[in-house]
Amino acid sequence: MLVALATAVALQPWTAFAGEPPPPLDCTAPGGVDAQAVAAAQRAWARHLGEESHEKSFPLDADGTVVVEMVLLPPGKYFRGDPDSAVLITLTQPLWVGKYEVTQHQYAVLTGTNPSHFRRPPPDMASHPVESVSHREATDCCAIAARNTGGGFRLLTEAEWEYAYRAGTRTKFYNGDADDRVGEIARYGADRAPAPARVGGKAPNAFGLHDMAGNVWEWVSDLWSKSYEPTQTVDPTGPPTGQGRVTRGSSWDASSNDCRAAHRSRDAETYAGSHLGFRLARAASGPPLPLDCTGPEGADPEAVAAAQRRWALHLGAACPRRSFPLDAAGEVTVEMVLVPPGRYWRGEPKAAAVVTLPVPLWVGRFEVTQAQYEAVMGINPSHFRRRGGDAATHPVEMVSHLDAVRFCAAASQASGAEYRLLREAEWEYAYRAGTRTKYYNGDADERAVEIAQCTENNFVGTAGVGSKAANAFGLHDMGGNVWEWCADAWSKAGDPARPDGVVIRVTRGAAWDSYGRTCSATARGGSVESYAGSQLGFRVARVADDLRQEAVRPAPPAPPRSSSPAPDGS
């Protein structure tokens, strides 16, 4: 009787107060979670999001002539990887995921071409997966769908993909541990298959997703590394650098071992083979929550990094760290990190005020270098001028505020993006990176040398950018090296201009000739906007538009692909 009662309670539909989200799907029990509970979580989250069902079709083009069938994945937590090395992963956002792999018809409507080696004639192309697609081509296809519809289409992250495959299970495959049952869920090598099969021909998992194993390897957004990023356990997006891109799920010519939930592979992002396809994901809710740094201890580094990753995905970026071009040809770039919207305590503790920053912003990971400045402006004005490779690693200085603004304008015009200086409130938020301490590495003055080039560790000149410890956002040299011009005019009394009309502009962060104790979050300076000195440089910001709305890159040249139909006729 007690057992029956417990079961009855467990199967009760979720109810909550108005606006309260359902609980996330917890798949961490030794046996995972059963299919009935998985489906109940999907339905509960669909209701919470105002959807009639957890299954839905979305248009891929402006006219709605081609659609993609998707199922809703609730937020949840699960163990990623093989049992002997599994790591608990938490996914905080609901997500729509393609019920099937992208078909040849869907791809052709979006891109105007069908690159598949096993090309199918109509109407079969609507039921067979597109293949011979590179990672770049898959990403561009997502961008086209997003631009056509205004929807947030993208590739899944690797962590999302494994969660989607497992669908609550903790077994080797989503239908158990037995190798001889793989054929129930996967088109793979044991079938002696000469080509991929039609999508949906094998049994789905508890989420309702087909072909998560076999048929075609599926590109995900992550860069490849041999092991997972150990600091990323909440909404992981993978490492900021890597060799190639991750593929998951195996294909029509793979072994049963390749069809495991935890199996990983990779290819160069420009490579296209007849075993490579992809599946679409689509944002299921509005923007992520802002980063709240107003608690007594601020926000811890893991929460800061997780907020960056969530906002990067929301904007169509696979990672919160990336390089952007500063010129039309893309030959000179700036490495930037995404700073999410948030709120924090600005100023000295005795007079601090809460400031809210409502929009995300890309911020230069380093101060602008001499090489970048010269590439855009044609000159290197630096007093500590460097040559060759050293110019690419040392900050430009001897630049006035007017020079810095001209640089941003020239880079904006050349690249088509919007570069600018940070506003002072943005600069302090970027410096603090969730902290409420004097420096972003604590309150001790003697530790300023860990993060800042200053008089205590060098009273000779500037250091290479990035030679000191970064903050939780991944920004270097926010203290020391060179004072950084901000966009704001200086004012103590509310009047930004002197009586003679000369404007004083704010500088932040201190410099190589400053005491370490002045390299704090709140230290401020100011200079006439036309003044240039060997202690003055700057850092750029880039307006964080939705990257899916940018122009799609031209595909790299590719060898001719076969137009022959698949030999098996399946």
Side-chain angles (χ1 to χ4, degrees):
M1 181 65 180
L2 289 175
V3 173
L5 178 60
T7 303
V9 172
L11 300 181
Q12 292 268 341
W14 166 83
T15 57
F17 296 108
E20 180 185 345
L25 179 63
D26 188 348
C27 311
T28 61
V33 61
D34 64 52
Q36 201 166 2
V38 169
Q42 289 179 286
R43 292 192 297 269
W45 274 91
R47 290 196 302 272
H48 175 68
L49 295 172
E51 302 288 353
E52 294 181 359
S53 170
H54 64 280
E55 296 193 22
K56 185 175 181 179
S57 292
F58 291 91
L60 293 174
D61 62 341
D63 298 328
T65 56
V66 61
V67 299
V68 57
E69 293 180 64
M70 309 192 89
V71 298
L72 184 67
L73 270 58
K77 56 182 181 177
Y78 75 105
F79 282 102
R80 175 169 74 173
D82 288 310
D84 59 351
S85 59
V87 174
L88 179 63
I89 297 297
T90 300
L91 300 175
T92 65
Q93 305 295 307
L95 186 70
W96 291 101
V97 175
K99 190 173 184 179
Y100 311 109
E101 293 156 333
V102 172
T103 67
Q104 296 178 25
H105 175 66
Q106 290 167 333
Y107 191 90
V109 169
L110 287 170
T111 67
T113 183
N114 181 3
S116 301
H117 175 72
F118 301 109
R119 191 176 303 173
R120 302 285 182 156
D124 284 350
M125 65 186 299
S127 60
H128 281 75
V130 69
E131 22 80 14
S132 301
V133 176
S134 71
H135 186 275
R136 289 186 179 178
E137 290 168 330
T139 301
D140 286 346
C141 184
C142 295
I144 293 169
R147 194 171 60 247
N148 285 348
T149 64
F153 290 105
R154 60 172 175 83
L155 299 178
L156 285 82
T157 67
E158 188 175 11
E160 292 168 343
W161 190 96
E162 187 168 328
Y163 176 67
Y165 176 113
R166 290 186 178 278
T169 65
R170 295 191 63 182
T171 47
K172 188 176 179 181
F173 313 102
Y174 64 73
N175 66 333
D177 289 310
D179 284 32
D180 58 6
R181 292 190 58 200
V182 175
E184 299 171 8
I185 65 171
R187 168 84 148 193
Y188 76 114
D191 294 336
R192 302 185 185 277
R198 66 181 69 248
V199 298
K202 300 290 183 176
N205 65 14
F207 280 142
L209 300 172
H210 293 261
D211 307 309
M212 294 297 293
N215 223 25
V216 290
W217 286 95
E218 298 180 12
W219 289 111
V220 295
S221 61
D222 300 41
L223 288 160
W224 168 268
S225 65
K226 288 184 179 180
S227 57
Y228 294 119
E229 198 71 18
T231 60
Q232 294 189 17
T233 60
V234 179
D235 297 323
T237 57
T241 59
Q243 290 289 322
R245 298 281 179 172
V246 176
T247 58
R248 285 300 216 114
S250 76
S251 69
W252 53 274
D253 62 346
S255 69
S256 62
N257 189 59
D258 292 344
C259 296
R260 292 180 296 116
H263 186 71
R264 312 172 67 223
S265 189
R266 67 163 175 172
D267 274 301
E269 65 181 358
T270 54
Y271 176 71
S274 61
H275 61 296
L276 288 169
F278 65 107
R279 186 182 303 260
L280 289 173
R282 188 182 192 275
S285 57
L289 294 174
L291 176 63
D292 189 350
C293 310
T294 60
E297 303 300 322
D300 64 58
E302 188 173 354
V304 169
Q308 286 181 287
R309 294 192 293 270
R310 285 193 289 270
W311 276 92
L313 288 175
H314 176 68
L315 295 171
C319 177
R321 178 175 141 192
R322 61 176 292 171
S323 293
F324 290 98
L326 290 171
D327 63 337
E331 295 177 354
V332 58
T333 61
V334 57
E335 195 170 344
M336 309 192 88
V337 299
L338 186 68
V339 173
R343 57 178 186 162
Y344 74 105
W345 288 96
R346 175 184 175 183
E348 299 288 351
K350 292 182 179 179
V354 173
V355 171
T356 299
L357 300 175
V359 296
L361 190 68
W362 291 99
V363 176
R365 188 178 175 210
F366 311 112
E367 293 156 334
V368 172
T369 67
Q370 296 177 27
Q372 289 168 330
Y373 192 89
E374 185 168 9
V376 173
M377 303 301 289
I379 60 169
N380 181 0
S382 303
H383 174 73
F384 301 110
R385 190 174 304 171
R386 303 286 179 153
R387 306 290 183 187
D390 283 349
T393 60
H394 280 72
V396 69
E397 16 82 17
M398 292 295 295
V399 287
S400 68
H401 185 275
L402 298 175
D403 294 330
V405 170
R406 292 187 190 104
F407 175 93
C408 294
S412 298
Q413 183 174 9
S415 66
E418 184 182 343
Y419 290 100
R420 61 172 175 83
L421 299 179
L422 283 82
R423 301 180 180 97
E424 190 177 7
E426 295 167 340
W427 190 97
E428 187 171 327
Y429 176 65
Y431 177 110
R432 290 186 178 279
T435 64
R436 294 191 61 181
T437 47
K438 184 175 181 180
Y439 312 99
Y440 61 73
N441 65 334
D443 287 310
D445 290 346
E446 62 269 19
R447 292 192 60 197
V449 295
E450 298 172 7
I451 66 170
Q453 175 83 341
C454 55
T455 59
E456 284 86 345
N457 55 24
N458 189 311
F459 196 36
V460 177
T462 57
V465 297
S467 58
K468 304 297 180 183
N471 66 14
F473 282 144
L475 300 171
H476 293 262
D477 306 307
M478 295 297 290
N481 222 20
V482 290
W483 285 95
E484 299 179 12
W485 288 110
C486 292
D488 307 49
W490 174 277
S491 174
K492 283 188 176 179
D495 183 0
R498 299 193 319 189
D500 59 7
V502 175
V503 178
I504 308 297
R505 296 288 178 178
V506 172
T507 57
R508 295 295 296 259
W512 60 272
D513 61 347
S514 305
Y515 291 113
R517 65 177 182 271
T518 67
C519 298
S520 66
T522 57
R524 306 174 70 220
S527 291
V528 175
E529 64 181 0
S530 58
Y531 173 75
S534 62
Q535 79 281 38
L536 284 170
F538 66 105
R539 184 184 305 262
V540 293
R542 185 184 192 271
V543 173
D545 295 325
D546 191 329
L547 299 177
R548 291 177 294 256
Q549 307 305 317
E550 292 183 347
V552 177
R553 299 168 300 229
R561 291 163 172 168
S562 169
S563 59
S564 59
D568 69 339
S570 62

